[in-house]
């Protein structure tokens, strides 16, 4: 380009650099692990909740909304979004199981017990997990009459759906699929293989007859989590029962 | 008295391994295993995983106590809620443990008679962990290992609560390692 000077020839080895700013000496090697200025790592934090101020619901709702929007932009179909939300919640379940077992142990001074039977695991999810997440237990726990390996947990008003409104063309989508992912993580980590945990709306026209209809209208956001255990988990359960439990 | 702690993930993959020695009774905290132990320890621990799976569905406890012994090695196991196993292999006399049926080379370091050996008139009671090497199958040993496992469990929980830690990932944190070493020094 006109007006631009030719770049200066590279300096010879004996040439003094005339930079006004001297190059700083090389920094000593620093290990990759960085500590915050208070020298506290994650290993210094307390596992039990010391104060009971609840986490902010608007903050969670904002984050959840951003998560759904992100997944919605990547894929359009309802089942795809539900699968993605499910996979997003899965690692949470794995960590929550251990953490809640530990907190049970510190709170009651008795050593913690792992759930080894399906019923115990479901009780654990129904009470401890739900209480840890939302401060209340789930509303119902049922076993399917038609299939041996299906169980249902009912939540009348999932907290995650509070600020989510679904457009009519995607009315099948239930964002509690995120919670279903957490539940699936808990079950898998406990050693019970799952075929899947899905979240469904308890639609009024589906199951309600008579006074059931009013109940459904009272809780329009009622969600049923369907837990389907794998064949080997059910088989193992039967074997334990046969051996006298 | 030498120890080898391995943390095995849900896919039977090792996530963390550490060898250390006893710090009680003048031990210097350094493991004194023979060179074969480098791979034999892993082999023994892996073989013991089968026994863990047998006991897993029968017992509801997290701490499964001593599940296996081979020659001089005893293996204790602690099972977390997420099906991760902490296996502690302890060997009261590592130099005398020959892994093969044939006598191999003699102990390479004959001078290491210190450590957790029960000789030397340490008659004073040094608490539950004092005489671990003397009777590795006693109740006192179990209690000491149980306390150690609980400490490692707490540190492990803090490690997995890291949101960037995915399941079955190898643990590389130096802080975790130093915490486990400190727990080993305290209890074993």
């Amino acid at each position: 380009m006109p007006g631009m000077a030719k770049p200066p020839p590279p300096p010879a080895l004996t040439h003094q650099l005339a930079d006004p700013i001297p190059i700083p000496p090389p920094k000593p090697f620093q290990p990759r692990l960085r500590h915050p200025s208070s020298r506290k790592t994650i290993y210094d934090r307390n596992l039990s909740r010391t104060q009971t101020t609840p986490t902010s619901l608007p903050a969670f709702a904002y984050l959840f909304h951003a998560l759904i929007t992100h997944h919605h932009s990547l894929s359009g179909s309802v089942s795809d979004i539900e699968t993605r939300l499910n996979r997003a919640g899965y690692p949470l379940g794995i960590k929550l199981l251990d953490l809640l077992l530990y907190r049970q142990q510190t709170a009651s001074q008795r050593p913690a017990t792992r759930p080894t039977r399906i019923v115990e695991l479901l009780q654990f999810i129904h009470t401890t997990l739900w209480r840890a997440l939302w401060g209340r237990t789930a509303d119902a726990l049922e076993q399917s009459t038609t299939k041996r390996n299906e169980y249902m947990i009912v939540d009348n008003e999932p907290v995650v759906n509070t600020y989510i409104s679904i457009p009519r063309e995607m009315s099948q989508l239930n964002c509690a699929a995120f919670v279903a992912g957490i539940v699936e993580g808990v079950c898998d980590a406990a050693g019970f293989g799952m075929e899947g945990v899905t979240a469904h709306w308890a639609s009024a026209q589906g199951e309600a007859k008579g006074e059931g209809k009013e109940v459904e209208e009272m809780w329009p956001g009622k969600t049923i989590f369907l837990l389907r255990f794998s064949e080997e988990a059910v088989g193992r359960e039967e074997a334990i029962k046969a051996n006298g439990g | 008295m030498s120890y080898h702690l391995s943390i095995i993930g849900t896919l039977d993959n090792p996530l963390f391994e550490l060898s250390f020695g006893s710090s009680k009774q003048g031990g210097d905290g350094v493991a004194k295993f023979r060179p074969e132990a480098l791979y034999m320890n892993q082999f023994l621990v892996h073989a013991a995983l089968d026994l863990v799976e047998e006991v897993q569905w029968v017992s509801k406890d997290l701490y499964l106590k001593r599940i296996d012994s081979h020659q001089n090695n005893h293996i204790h196991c602690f099972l977390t809620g997420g099906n991760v196993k902490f296996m502690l292999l302890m060997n009261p006399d590592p130099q005398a443990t020959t892994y093969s049926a044939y006598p191999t080379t003699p102990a390479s370091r004959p001078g290491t008679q210190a450590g957790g050996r029960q000789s030397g008139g340490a008659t004073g009671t040094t608490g539950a962990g004092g005489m671990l090497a003397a009777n590795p199958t006693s109740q006192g040993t179990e209690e000491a290992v149980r306390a150690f496992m609980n400490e490692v469990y707490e540190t492990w929980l803090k490690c997995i609560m890291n949101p960037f830690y995915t399941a079955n990932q190898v643990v590389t944190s130096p802080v975790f390692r130093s915490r486990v070493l400190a727990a080993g020094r305290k209890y074993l």
Side-chain angles (χ1 to χ4, degrees), chain A residues 43-45 95 98 114 120, chain B residues 56 59-60 81 165 179:
Chain A
Y43 294 99
D44 296 315
R45 300 180 64 166
K95 302 172 186 189
D98 264 323
R114 291 174 296 117
E120 291 167 14
Chain B
Q56 195 175 358
S59 146
K60 285 201 209 309
Y165 179 82
R179 291 254 163 152

Side-chain angles (χ1 to χ4, degrees), chain A residues 161-188:
Chain A
N161 282 345
T162 330
Y163 294 112
I164 309 287
S165 59
I166 318 246
R168 197 144 14 111
E169 59 267 11
M170 307 189 97
S171 63
Q172 300 280 344
L173 174 66
N174 189 339
C175 298
F178 183 69
V179 180
I182 298 182
V183 172
E184 188 170 353
V186 170
C187 293
D188 268 348

